[in-house]
């Protein structure tokens, strides 16, 4: 199967079976999503969703968070990974958001990356989810699944390489939702250690399954 055919099959399957895929982070506005995505780095969405309600109640606006002290914010996120760094990042992000962007989350990836704790992946999430931009955030799930499916070169070494390939081959109107297709498939089916191929509905265009399918399926 060619790469073009894999992309066609990928788009066909998910657009029919999971057309409304969305982030599993809970939020009510762009500011809250930005906070949640920063917290989600190397941490599960489930854990983040457990801490953000109280955090958002205590710091409902960028101004509240920008004026907070380290010791005021830390207790709210002490159960997430890298809590000390993330506390600093959240306060620093809020200060820049207030001072440089009039408390409004910016649309441009380049502007988003000016804030502490906001790398390219986080910036792409915000651009995609909030502003429906054709931005592809490549986390560990997207990186793994896109390579296993054969959507990107097996030799791709960096998230940026994977991002550029996916953006090149996925029509712009599908990019924001394709990001979630790959994440959710990686989170629940194509898991890291042992992919659940026996449950998977897209083995018919999966390069990994082609190479590793059980012997009985090859007879």
């Amino acid at each position: 199967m060619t790469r073009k055919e894999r992309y066609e099959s990928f788009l066909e399957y998910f657009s029919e079976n999971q057309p409304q895929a969305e982030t599993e982070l809970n939020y009510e506005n762009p500011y809250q999503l930005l906070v949640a995505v920063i917290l989600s780095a190397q941490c599960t969405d489930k854990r983040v969703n457990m801490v953000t309600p109280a955090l958002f109640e205590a710091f409902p606006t960028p101004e509240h968070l920008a004026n907070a002290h380290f010791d005021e914010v830390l207790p709210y996120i002490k159960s997430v990974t890298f809590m000390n760094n993330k506390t600093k990042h959240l306060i620093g992000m809020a200060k820049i958001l207030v001072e440089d962007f009039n408390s409004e989350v910016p649309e441009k990836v380049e502007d988003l990356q000016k804030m502490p704790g906001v790398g390219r992946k986080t910036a792409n999430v915000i651009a995609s989810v909030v502003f429906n931009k054709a931005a592809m955030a490549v986390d560990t799930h997207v990186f793994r699944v896109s390579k296993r499916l054969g959507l990107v070169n097996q030799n791709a070494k960096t998230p940026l390489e994977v991002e550029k390939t996916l953006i090149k081959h996925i029509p712009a109107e599908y990019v924001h939702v394709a990001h979630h297709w790959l994440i959710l498939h990686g989170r629940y089916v194509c898991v890291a250690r042992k992919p659940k191929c026996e449950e998977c509905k897209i083995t018919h265009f999966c390069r990994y399954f082609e190479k590793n399918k059980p012997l009985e399926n090859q007879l």
Side-chain angles (χ1 to χ4, degrees):
M1 180 177 281
T2 66
R3 181 176 296 180
K4 180 181 178 182
E5 290 171 335
R6 293 189 200 279
Y7 273 99
E8 290 173 348
S9 297
F10 170 76
L11 292 169
E12 179 181 6
Y13 175 83
F14 283 103
S15 60
E16 290 181 1
N17 293 278
Q18 205 174 359
Q20 302 300 321
E22 299 175 339
T23 179
E24 293 186 316
L25 291 170
N26 297 330
Y27 70 99
E28 294 181 356
N29 55 56
Y31 157 69
Q32 288 188 358
L33 180 61
L34 182 54
V35 169
V37 177
I38 290 173
L39 290 175
S40 72
Q42 294 181 274
C43 188
T44 65
D45 288 0
K46 182 178 180 180
R47 169 58 56 185
V48 173
N49 288 336
M50 291 173 66
V51 305
T52 49
L55 179 67
F56 293 152
E57 183 176 353
F59 309 101
T61 68
E63 288 82 2
H64 286 90
L65 189 55
N67 292 320
H69 295 292
F70 180 93
D71 291 338
E72 294 176 308
V73 178
L74 181 64
Y76 290 95
I77 67 167
K78 62 183 179 181
S79 65
V80 304
T81 55
F82 308 109
M83 59 181 180
N84 291 318
N85 282 338
K86 288 179 180 178
T87 298
K88 295 175 184 176
H89 289 162
L90 289 179
I91 296 172
M93 173 276 292
K95 288 182 183 296
I96 292 178
L97 201 57
V98 171
E99 295 170 4
D100 295 354
F101 298 104
N102 197 31
S103 299
E104 296 290 332
V105 175
E107 290 188 32
K108 294 182 179 179
V109 169
E110 295 78 10
D111 287 337
L112 287 161
Q113 288 183 276
K114 294 176 182 177
M115 293 180 276
V118 182
R120 187 174 182 86
K121 184 199 77 173
T122 297
N124 279 337
V125 170
I126 301 302
S128 172
V129 175
V130 175
F131 302 107
N132 288 323
K133 301 255 185 200
M136 176 60 70
V138 179
D139 66 356
T140 56
H141 297 302
V142 174
F143 190 84
R144 178 180 70 254
V145 174
S146 60
K147 292 181 72 172
R148 279 184 178 168
L149 290 178
L151 299 179
V152 302
N153 195 305
Q154 300 303 299
N155 295 323
K157 296 292 193 298
T158 67
L160 185 58
E161 288 181 74
V162 171
E163 176 189 332
K164 288 181 176 179
T165 301
L166 292 172
I167 289 293
K168 178 180 177 181
H169 290 92
I170 297 175
E173 64 269 26
Y174 286 103
V175 170
H176 72 285
V177 69
H179 159 71
H180 298 301
W181 291 339
L182 290 165
I183 285 179
L184 295 174
H185 191 66
R187 185 172 291 165
Y188 298 111
V189 182
C190 196
V191 294
R193 292 186 179 180
K194 187 179 180 182
K196 303 174 183 178
C197 296
E198 68 282 358
E199 300 177 16
C200 185
K201 305 297 184 184
I202 59 174
T203 54
H204 59 287
F205 65 85
C206 176
R207 184 183 183 277
Y208 177 90
F209 187 77
E210 279 181 12
K211 302 293 183 182
N212 299 277
K213 58 188 175 183
L215 181 60
E216 60 269 21
N217 290 343
Q218 299 181 38
L219 301 178

